[in-house]
Protein backbone atom coordinates (compact mmCIF):
# COMPACT_ATOMS: atom_id res chain seq x y z
CA UNK A 1 0.00 0.00 0.00
CA UNK A 2 1.35 3.39 -1.04
CA UNK A 3 -0.94 6.23 -0.12
CA UNK A 4 -1.26 9.27 2.10
CA UNK A 5 -4.17 9.27 4.51
CA UNK A 6 -5.97 12.55 5.12
CA UNK A 7 -7.95 13.46 8.18
CA UNK A 8 -9.29 16.53 9.93
CA UNK A 9 -11.97 17.67 7.55
CA UNK A 10 -15.44 18.56 8.62
CA UNK A 11 -18.07 21.24 8.80
CA UNK A 12 -17.04 24.67 10.02
CA UNK A 13 -18.61 28.09 9.99
CA UNK A 14 -17.14 30.93 7.94
CA UNK A 15 -14.22 32.42 9.77
CA UNK A 16 -13.49 29.19 11.55
CA UNK A 17 -10.45 26.96 11.44
CA UNK A 18 -9.55 23.38 10.67
CA UNK A 19 -6.31 21.49 10.64
CA UNK A 20 -5.89 18.78 8.08
CA UNK A 21 -3.41 16.00 8.54
CA UNK A 22 -1.71 13.87 5.94
CA UNK A 23 -0.11 10.74 7.31
CA UNK A 24 2.01 8.34 5.38
CA UNK A 25 0.83 4.87 4.63
CA UNK A 26 3.27 2.53 3.01
CA UNK A 27 6.03 5.08 2.52
CA UNK A 28 8.15 7.59 4.40
CA UNK A 29 7.23 11.22 3.82
CA UNK A 30 10.64 12.76 4.27
CA UNK A 31 11.74 12.10 0.70
CA UNK A 32 8.56 13.44 -0.86
CA UNK A 33 7.40 16.92 -1.63
CA UNK A 34 3.91 17.03 -0.16
CA UNK A 35 1.07 19.14 -1.40
CA UNK A 36 -2.61 19.71 -0.98
CA UNK A 37 -5.04 19.92 -3.86
CA UNK A 38 -8.73 20.60 -3.61
CA UNK A 39 -11.69 19.78 -5.77
CA UNK A 40 -14.99 21.58 -5.45
CA UNK A 41 -18.18 20.84 -7.38
CA UNK A 42 -18.33 22.83 -10.59
CA UNK A 43 -14.75 24.00 -10.29
CA UNK A 44 -11.45 22.78 -11.61
CA UNK A 45 -8.99 21.12 -9.33
CA UNK A 46 -6.87 23.71 -7.58
CA UNK A 47 -3.43 23.45 -6.09
CA UNK A 48 -3.59 24.75 -2.53
CA UNK A 49 -0.16 24.41 -1.02
CA UNK A 50 3.01 22.39 -1.05
CA UNK A 51 6.04 21.92 1.14
CA UNK A 52 9.54 20.80 0.36
CA UNK A 53 11.12 17.69 1.79
CA UNK A 54 12.93 19.62 4.47
CA UNK A 55 10.03 21.95 5.14
CA UNK A 56 12.11 25.00 4.33
CA UNK A 57 10.17 25.91 1.20
CA UNK A 58 6.42 26.35 0.99
CA UNK A 59 4.01 27.55 -1.62
CA UNK A 60 0.42 28.74 -1.45
CA UNK A 61 -2.27 29.52 -3.92
CA UNK A 62 -3.16 33.19 -3.97
CA UNK A 63 -6.64 32.30 -2.81
CA UNK A 64 -5.38 30.89 0.49
CA UNK A 65 -2.22 32.89 1.10
CA UNK A 66 -2.21 34.43 4.53
CA UNK A 67 -4.93 32.11 5.77
CA UNK A 68 -3.46 28.63 5.36
CA UNK A 69 -0.19 27.29 6.69
CA UNK A 70 1.45 24.05 5.65
CA UNK A 71 3.96 22.30 7.86
CA UNK A 72 5.50 18.91 8.27
CA UNK A 73 6.74 16.74 11.07
CA UNK A 74 8.89 14.12 9.45
CA UNK A 75 9.44 12.36 12.77
CA UNK A 76 5.71 11.71 12.87
CA UNK A 77 5.53 11.05 9.14
CA UNK A 78 2.81 13.67 8.92
CA UNK A 79 2.10 16.89 7.04
CA UNK A 80 -0.42 19.43 8.26
CA UNK A 81 -2.50 22.11 6.66
CA UNK A 82 -3.73 24.67 9.12
CA UNK A 83 -6.68 26.51 7.64
CA UNK A 84 -7.82 29.71 9.27
CA UNK A 85 -10.40 32.33 8.36
CA UNK A 86 -12.22 29.80 6.28
CA UNK A 87 -14.58 30.97 3.58
CA UNK A 88 -17.44 29.20 1.84
CA UNK A 89 -15.35 29.07 -1.31
CA UNK A 90 -12.88 26.87 0.55
CA UNK A 91 -15.47 24.12 0.52
CA UNK A 92 -13.99 21.18 -1.33
CA UNK A 93 -12.52 17.76 -1.01
CA UNK A 94 -8.91 18.18 -0.01
CA UNK A 95 -6.36 15.68 -1.23
CA UNK A 96 -2.88 15.13 0.04
CA UNK A 97 -0.42 14.32 -2.73
CA UNK A 98 3.10 13.00 -2.32
CA UNK A 99 5.57 13.33 -5.17
CA UNK A 100 9.19 12.20 -4.94
CA UNK A 101 11.88 14.81 -5.31
CA UNK A 102 13.45 16.38 -7.34
CA UNK A 103 10.17 18.02 -8.36
CA UNK A 104 10.43 21.27 -6.39
CA UNK A 105 7.69 22.86 -4.39
CA UNK A 106 6.58 25.99 -6.20
CA UNK A 107 3.92 27.33 -8.48
CA UNK A 108 4.67 24.71 -11.12
CA UNK A 109 4.46 21.78 -8.73
CA UNK A 110 0.71 21.46 -9.20
CA UNK A 111 0.96 20.79 -12.92
CA UNK A 112 -0.78 17.57 -13.91
CA UNK A 113 2.40 15.95 -15.19
CA UNK A 114 3.80 16.26 -11.71
CA UNK A 115 0.95 15.67 -9.32
CA UNK A 116 -0.66 12.90 -11.31
CA UNK A 117 2.58 10.97 -11.04
CA UNK A 118 2.38 11.12 -7.27
CA UNK A 119 0.53 9.23 -4.60
CA UNK A 120 -2.90 10.57 -3.69
CA UNK A 121 -4.92 10.10 -0.59
CA UNK A 122 -8.63 9.41 -0.55
CA UNK A 123 -9.46 13.00 0.31
CA UNK A 124 -11.17 14.67 3.22
CA UNK A 125 -14.24 16.85 2.93
CA UNK A 126 -14.09 20.43 4.13
CA UNK A 127 -17.39 22.26 4.23
CA UNK A 128 -17.56 25.91 5.21
CA UNK A 129 -21.11 27.00 5.79
CA UNK A 130 -23.26 28.81 8.30
Amino acid sequence: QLQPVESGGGLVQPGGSLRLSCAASGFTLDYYVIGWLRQAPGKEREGVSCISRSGSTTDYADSVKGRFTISRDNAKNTVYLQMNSLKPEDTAIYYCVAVPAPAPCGSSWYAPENILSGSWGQGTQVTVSS
Side-chain angles (χ1 to χ4, degrees):
Q1 187 177 3
L2 290 170
Q3 68 173 37
V5 178
E6 303 98 333
S7 63
L11 175 64
V12 65
Q13 292 184 324
S17 297
L18 288 171
R19 187 179 73 163
L20 306 184
S21 297
C22 174
S25 178
F27 61 97
T28 302
L29 284 181
D30 60 0
Y31 46 79
Y32 291 83
V33 176
I34 307 297
W36 292 90
L37 288 297
R38 65 187 182 185
Q39 179 69 63
K43 298 175 66 176
E44 292 187 352
R45 183 179 58 226
E46 179 184 20
V48 177
S49 183
C50 61
I51 187 166
S52 64
R53 290 179 293 173
S54 69
S56 63
T57 300
T58 59
D59 181 80
Y60 300 93
D62 288 342
S63 58
V64 307
K65 195 170 298 181
R67 300 187 296 119
F68 291 10
T69 303
I70 191 169
S71 62
R72 67 190 303 162
D73 186 341
N74 286 340
K76 296 181 178 179
N77 219 24
T78 303
V79 170
Y80 304 98
L81 184 68
Q82 179 67 46
M83 306 186 296
N84 298 326
S85 302
L86 284 162
K87 304 175 181 179
E89 52 263 45
D90 295 318
T91 296
I93 301 174
Y94 284 70
Y95 297 92
C96 179
V97 183
V99 182
C105 173
S107 61
S108 297
W109 187 84
Y110 315 97
E113 59 265 34
N114 183 49
I115 60 173
L116 294 180
S117 70
S119 298
W120 289 62
Q122 292 291 108
T124 186
Q125 176 72 49
V126 172
T127 302
V128 184
S129 176
S130 59

